[in-house]
Amino acid sequence: MKKKINAQFIIIGIFAVAATLLMSVVVCYGIFKKQIIDDLRGYSQIILESDMDILESIEKIAPENVRITLIDADGNVIYENEADNSSMDNHGNRPEVIAARKDGEGSNVRVSSTLSRNTFYYAVLLEDGNVLRLAKDAYSIYVIFYSAFPVLIIIAVIIIIVCAVLAHYLTMRLVEPIEKLAENLDETKGSEVYKELVPIFEAIKENHQKTISNAKMRQEFTANVSHELKTPLTAISGYAELIENGMATEDDIVRFSSEIRKNADRLLTLINDTIKLSELDDMASNDVLEEMDLNQLVKGCRDTLTVNADKHGIHIYFSGNSCMVMANRSMMEEILYNLCDNAIRYNNEGGSVYVSVYEEPGRKILSVKDTGIGIPKEHQERIFERFYRVDKSRSKSTGGTGLGLAIVKHMVARQNAKLELESETGKGTEIRVVFSA
């Protein structure tokens, strides 16, 4: 990363130096060109302001190395101080002459065929209609550039070296807080160098903490699953060993077989719930939601729920009106079954469960309420955690895995709904699945 950033800084520096030098040459040449034209204009004013005749003035006060031409209204050369005017062609079509006749003065630069020198022209219109033109040869921009090239190279090398040093320093300053963060993700003091990096550091830190939290949660989940699996497997192995060694009577065999079946059922339930939670963790939130009536959902599950309640000696009651929501039907059926199964398991003998569907302003609600043992307030915040049990002995005796409400929490979140819990020890519990209207 350092090498890449450093290289990019140096490349930018080299480009900036090259562009600056090139623009400097162009600007200097522009100043040079303007200066020559201004000099030619000054020479023309000296000649014109003289008290002498124009030709006499040209002969006596014309500066050296300046070519002076006098052109009549028809473009014919009347006078030329460096050539025989009789052999010269018509100058009426020269750009500087045309400009002088139009605007009073004009200038032009023509490049020689060898590209080694330029000729600068300045022309001014006289009162008698003639045009006075002054010209001077000077180095072209290419010659100026080539002559200055060695000096420019030296300057460029010095600047590039300085840029490389600065690039290295800036790279170190830029990367330093990131390296500090990498060494200790819980420390963000390095972000004080650049305030703009604070949000990035906070996001990395938050992501790191989430990763640690998820890893810890998975580790705890694995440990809990192992522990939960160990109990029924130990029981199955123990009973099977007693039967295998002939240490059980015929009555014991019947009883042991029943215990083996119960533990096997509990084992299967635990495995199924674990697989379900794993699927909910791994699946992307792309569940197919459809418009459905919560009341019709309850009616569809009524027979199954009633049979389960009767098996445990619990009375179950249903009430509600039509209530349309966007949800996943199979998940909603599982949510309803898990909530009712919990309400039945942790109820008192002869108790009741009330399943209702109703609307409130801005809310559509599926409620499962029981008259069971209730949940102490200190446990209510954690009741939806995996393997969390308020009464571990009762949970195991009723065949609970401790994963039912965790599954409900995951599924409800995927329906864009939320859970509400109200409970009082000894009086019962109500859990509501709430959809926005």
Side-chain angles (χ1 to χ4, degrees), residues 3-36:
K3 290 182 179 179
K4 188 174 182 179
I5 295 175
N6 201 33
Q8 289 177 343
F9 274 137
I10 293 174
I11 291 171
I12 292 171
I14 293 172
F15 177 78
V17 169
T20 301
L21 292 177
L22 181 62
M23 291 302 297
S24 298
V25 171
V26 172
V27 171
C28 289
Y29 182 74
I31 296 173
F32 174 70
K33 173 183 173 181
K34 182 177 182 300
Q35 182 61 49
I36 291 178

Coordinates of all heavy atoms in Angstrom, one line a residue, residues 3-36:
K3 N 4.0 1.6 -1.0 CA 4.7 1.7 -2.3 C 3.8 2.3 -3.4 O 4.2 3.2 -4.2 CB 5.3 0.4 -2.7 CG 6.4 -0.1 -1.9 CD 7.0 -1.4 -2.4 CE 8.2 -1.9 -1.6 NZ 8.7 -3.2 -2.1
K4 N 2.5 1.8 -3.4 CA 1.6 2.3 -4.4 C 1.2 3.7 -4.2 O 1.2 4.5 -5.2 CB 0.3 1.4 -4.3 CG -0.7 1.7 -5.4 CD -1.8 0.7 -5.4 CE -2.8 0.9 -6.6 NZ -3.9 -0.1 -6.5
I5 N 1.0 4.1 -3.0 CA 0.6 5.5 -2.7 C 1.8 6.4 -3.0 O 1.7 7.5 -3.6 CB 0.2 5.7 -1.2 CG1 -1.1 5.0 -1.0 CG2 0.0 7.2 -0.9 CD1 -1.5 5.0 0.5
N6 N 3.0 6.0 -2.6 CA 4.2 6.8 -2.8 C 4.5 6.9 -4.3 O 4.8 8.0 -4.8 CB 5.4 6.0 -2.2 CG 6.6 7.0 -1.9 OD1 6.4 8.1 -1.6 ND2 7.8 6.4 -2.0
A7 N 4.3 5.8 -5.1 CA 4.5 5.9 -6.5 C 3.6 6.8 -7.2 O 3.9 7.6 -8.1 CB 4.4 4.5 -7.1
Q8 N 2.3 6.8 -6.7 CA 1.3 7.7 -7.3 C 1.6 9.2 -7.0 O 1.5 10.0 -7.9 CB -0.1 7.3 -6.8 CG -0.6 6.0 -7.3 CD -1.9 5.6 -6.7 OE1 -2.3 6.1 -5.7 NE2 -2.6 4.7 -7.4
F9 N 2.1 9.4 -5.8 CA 2.5 10.8 -5.5 C 3.6 11.3 -6.4 O 3.6 12.4 -6.9 CB 3.0 10.9 -4.0 CG 1.8 11.1 -3.0 CD1 1.8 10.4 -1.8 CD2 0.8 12.1 -3.3 CE1 0.8 10.6 -0.9 CE2 -0.2 12.3 -2.4 CZ -0.2 11.6 -1.2
I10 N 4.6 10.4 -6.6 CA 5.8 10.8 -7.4 C 5.4 11.0 -8.9 O 5.8 12.0 -9.5 CB 6.9 9.7 -7.4 CG1 7.5 9.6 -5.9 CG2 8.0 9.9 -8.4 CD1 8.4 8.5 -5.7
I11 N 4.5 10.1 -9.4 CA 4.0 10.3 -10.8 C 3.2 11.6 -10.9 O 3.4 12.4 -11.9 CB 3.0 9.1 -11.1 CG1 3.9 7.8 -11.3 CG2 2.3 9.4 -12.4 CD1 3.0 6.6 -11.4
I12 N 2.4 11.9 -9.9 CA 1.7 13.2 -10.0 C 2.7 14.4 -9.9 O 2.6 15.4 -10.6 CB 0.7 13.3 -8.8 CG1 -0.4 12.3 -8.9 CG2 0.1 14.7 -8.6 CD1 -1.3 12.2 -7.7
G13 N 3.8 14.2 -9.1 CA 4.8 15.3 -9.0 C 5.5 15.5 -10.3 O 5.7 16.6 -10.7
I14 N 5.9 14.3 -11.0 CA 6.6 14.4 -12.3 C 5.7 15.1 -13.3 O 6.1 16.0 -14.1 CB 7.0 13.0 -12.7 CG1 8.1 12.5 -11.8 CG2 7.5 13.1 -14.2 CD1 8.4 11.0 -12.1
F15 N 4.4 14.7 -13.3 CA 3.5 15.3 -14.3 C 3.3 16.8 -14.0 O 3.3 17.6 -14.9 CB 2.1 14.6 -14.2 CG 1.1 15.2 -15.1 CD1 1.0 14.9 -16.4 CD2 0.1 16.1 -14.5 CE1 0.1 15.5 -17.2 CE2 -0.8 16.7 -15.3 CZ -0.9 16.4 -16.7
A16 N 3.2 17.2 -12.7 CA 3.1 18.6 -12.4 C 4.3 19.4 -12.8 O 4.2 20.5 -13.3 CB 2.8 18.7 -10.9
V17 N 5.5 18.8 -12.5 CA 6.7 19.5 -12.9 C 6.8 19.7 -14.4 O 7.1 20.8 -14.9 CB 8.0 18.7 -12.4 CG1 9.3 19.3 -13.0 CG2 8.0 18.8 -10.9
A18 N 6.6 18.6 -15.2 CA 6.6 18.7 -16.6 C 5.6 19.8 -17.2 O 6.0 20.6 -18.0 CB 6.4 17.4 -17.2
A19 N 4.4 19.7 -16.6 CA 3.4 20.6 -17.1 C 3.8 22.1 -16.7 O 3.6 23.0 -17.5 CB 2.0 20.3 -16.5
T20 N 4.3 22.2 -15.5 CA 4.7 23.6 -15.1 C 5.8 24.1 -15.9 O 5.8 25.3 -16.4 CB 5.2 23.5 -13.6 OG1 4.1 23.0 -12.8 CG2 5.6 24.9 -13.1
L21 N 6.9 23.3 -16.2 CA 8.0 23.8 -17.0 C 7.5 24.1 -18.5 O 7.9 25.1 -19.0 CB 9.1 22.7 -17.1 CG 9.8 22.5 -15.8 CD1 10.8 21.3 -15.9 CD2 10.5 23.7 -15.3
L22 N 6.7 23.3 -19.0 CA 6.2 23.5 -20.4 C 5.4 24.8 -20.4 O 5.5 25.7 -21.3 CB 5.3 22.4 -20.8 CG 4.7 22.5 -22.3 CD1 5.9 22.6 -23.3 CD2 3.8 21.3 -22.6
M23 N 4.5 25.0 -19.4 CA 3.7 26.2 -19.4 C 4.6 27.4 -19.2 O 4.3 28.5 -19.7 CB 2.6 26.1 -18.3 CG 1.5 25.1 -18.6 SD 0.6 25.4 -20.1 CE -0.1 27.0 -19.7
S24 N 5.6 27.3 -18.4 CA 6.5 28.4 -18.1 C 7.2 28.8 -19.4 O 7.3 30.0 -19.7 CB 7.6 28.0 -17.1 OG 7.0 27.6 -15.9
V25 N 7.7 27.9 -20.2 CA 8.3 28.2 -21.5 C 7.3 28.9 -22.4 O 7.6 29.9 -23.0 CB 8.8 26.9 -22.2 CG1 9.3 27.2 -23.6 CG2 10.0 26.3 -21.4
V26 N 6.1 28.4 -22.5 CA 5.0 29.0 -23.3 C 4.8 30.5 -22.9 O 4.7 31.4 -23.7 CB 3.7 28.2 -23.3 CG1 2.6 28.9 -24.0 CG2 4.0 26.8 -24.0
V27 N 4.6 30.6 -21.5 CA 4.3 32.0 -21.0 C 5.5 32.9 -21.3 O 5.3 34.1 -21.7 CB 4.0 31.9 -19.5 CG1 3.9 33.3 -18.9 CG2 2.7 31.1 -19.3
C28 N 6.7 32.4 -21.0 CA 7.9 33.3 -21.2 C 8.0 33.7 -22.7 O 8.4 34.8 -23.0 CB 9.1 32.5 -20.8 SG 9.3 32.3 -19.0
Y29 N 7.7 32.7 -23.6 CA 7.7 33.1 -25.0 C 6.7 34.1 -25.4 O 6.9 35.0 -26.2 CB 7.5 31.8 -25.9 CG 7.6 32.1 -27.3 CD1 8.9 32.3 -28.0 CD2 6.5 32.1 -28.1 CE1 8.9 32.6 -29.3 CE2 6.5 32.4 -29.5 CZ 7.8 32.6 -30.1 OH 7.9 32.9 -31.4
G30 N 5.5 34.0 -24.7 CA 4.5 35.0 -25.0 C 4.9 36.4 -24.5 O 4.7 37.4 -25.2
I31 N 5.6 36.4 -23.4 CA 6.1 37.7 -22.9 C 7.2 38.2 -23.8 O 7.3 39.4 -24.1 CB 6.7 37.5 -21.5 CG1 5.5 37.2 -20.5 CG2 7.4 38.8 -21.0 CD1 6.0 36.8 -19.1
F32 N 8.1 37.3 -24.3 CA 9.2 37.6 -25.2 C 8.6 38.2 -26.5 O 9.1 39.2 -27.0 CB 10.0 36.4 -25.5 CG 11.1 36.5 -26.5 CD1 12.2 37.3 -26.2 CD2 10.9 35.9 -27.7 CE1 13.2 37.4 -27.2 CE2 11.9 36.0 -28.7 CZ 13.1 36.8 -28.4
K33 N 7.6 37.6 -27.0 CA 6.9 38.0 -28.3 C 6.3 39.4 -28.1 O 6.5 40.3 -28.9 CB 5.9 37.0 -28.7 CG 5.0 37.5 -29.9 CD 3.9 36.4 -30.1 CE 3.0 36.9 -31.2 NZ 1.9 35.9 -31.5
K34 N 5.7 39.6 -27.0 CA 5.0 40.9 -26.7 C 6.1 42.0 -26.6 O 5.9 43.2 -27.1 CB 4.2 40.9 -25.4 CG 3.5 42.2 -25.1 CD 2.6 42.0 -23.9 CE 1.8 43.2 -23.6 NZ 2.7 44.4 -23.3
Q35 N 7.2 41.7 -26.0 CA 8.3 42.6 -25.8 C 8.9 43.1 -27.1 O 9.1 44.3 -27.3 CB 9.4 42.0 -24.9 CG 10.5 43.0 -24.6 CD 10.0 44.2 -23.8 OE1 9.3 44.1 -22.8 NE2 10.4 45.4 -24.3
I36 N 9.1 42.1 -28.0 CA 9.6 42.5 -29.4 C 8.7 43.4 -30.1 O 9.1 44.4 -30.7 CB 9.9 41.2 -30.2 CG1 11.1 40.5 -29.5 CG2 10.3 41.5 -31.6 CD1 11.5 39.2 -30.2

